[in-house]
Amino acid sequence: MSDKVANDLPALGSGPLKVAPLLLQPDPGRTVLRPFDFAYPEDFAEDLDSRSLAVARRVLSLDQPQLAQALKLMLEPMRARHRNAEAVLLRRYGELGEKVRQLRPDDTQKLLLGAYFSQEYAFESAALFNPSILGDPNADEDGGGTRFVLSLRGIGEGHISSVTFRTGMWSVDGEVTVDAPSAQAVPPRIVHEGEDIGTELICVDSADVSETVIFPVLPSQNKGIEDLRLVRFIEEDGRQQIIGTYTAFDGRSVRQELLRAIDFRTIWMRPLRGRMSAHKGMALFPRRIDGRYVML
């Protein structure tokens, strides 16, 4: 910033604006366990045995001492960084194809297979920015101020964008504080997944919203979920829900998608249709106008 520009800016606390002395830093130590796939690229997959099946057979070929050693090396750090690590890894095993399950692994082999097909991912290791804010739907009324939820775009390894959250308080005297995030980060469970019907996620494993990380799960989001803009939407009958628009990026093209949330425990994501949906930067009005949804 040049000296001239700096001198033209209002002093902190002067004029109609007050700049809060807050700086949110990305934390490379916060990681989430997300699925990992050994599949060959589609153009090379023809006439090749499944790489996933080959990896599974290799894991199952370990003798008991080798298996015990591998589990110890894997589980000790996972338990330190992730709550219910074993349950997450066993769920991941359950998502593997029928050919892998037909190998009939025992319970310890299932754990190791779940680990091989998972990735510990630092989702905000590079950057943390582009917040949106709304009142916390889970907070009780507080005469001392307003509780809020921030959504943030985290850029992690591989320059992939995910959505993460913080909570905080805007007090009646104008002070803004942001709560320290949980040391844990928990992946949502995918209930339904599909380009046309949308994707349903449940976040019941998160103790608070700062533990929830929404990372790419659809081909349209392969290289990032970017810039979620949340509003508390009020229907004409008074019902309220949380709706947000975000940009899905697949590495070549972008499109707008819609997120609906019920108190951040159940989340639906679906694509938007129409001529303008292939552009970035949409923001939804919090109410309908003449019965129709409206965006900037």
Side-chain angles (χ1 to χ4, degrees), residues 59 62 67 70-71 74 108-117:
V59 170
L62 297 175
L67 180 62
L71 279 175
M74 180 273 295
T108 54
Q109 290 170 328
K110 289 177 182 179
L111 265 179
L112 195 56
L113 282 169
Y116 265 90
F117 287 87

Side-chain angles (χ1 to χ4, degrees), residues 47-65:
D47 299 327
L48 292 174
D49 193 14
S50 164
R51 189 192 295 183
S52 299
L53 199 58
V55 169
R57 288 182 177 131
R58 181 69 179 269
V59 170
L60 298 183
S61 72
L62 297 175
D63 60 29
Q64 283 303 315

Side-chain angles (χ1 to χ4, degrees), residues 1-11:
M1 181 183 296
S2 69
D3 291 339
K4 181 180 186 307
V5 172
N7 291 333
D8 288 343
L9 290 175

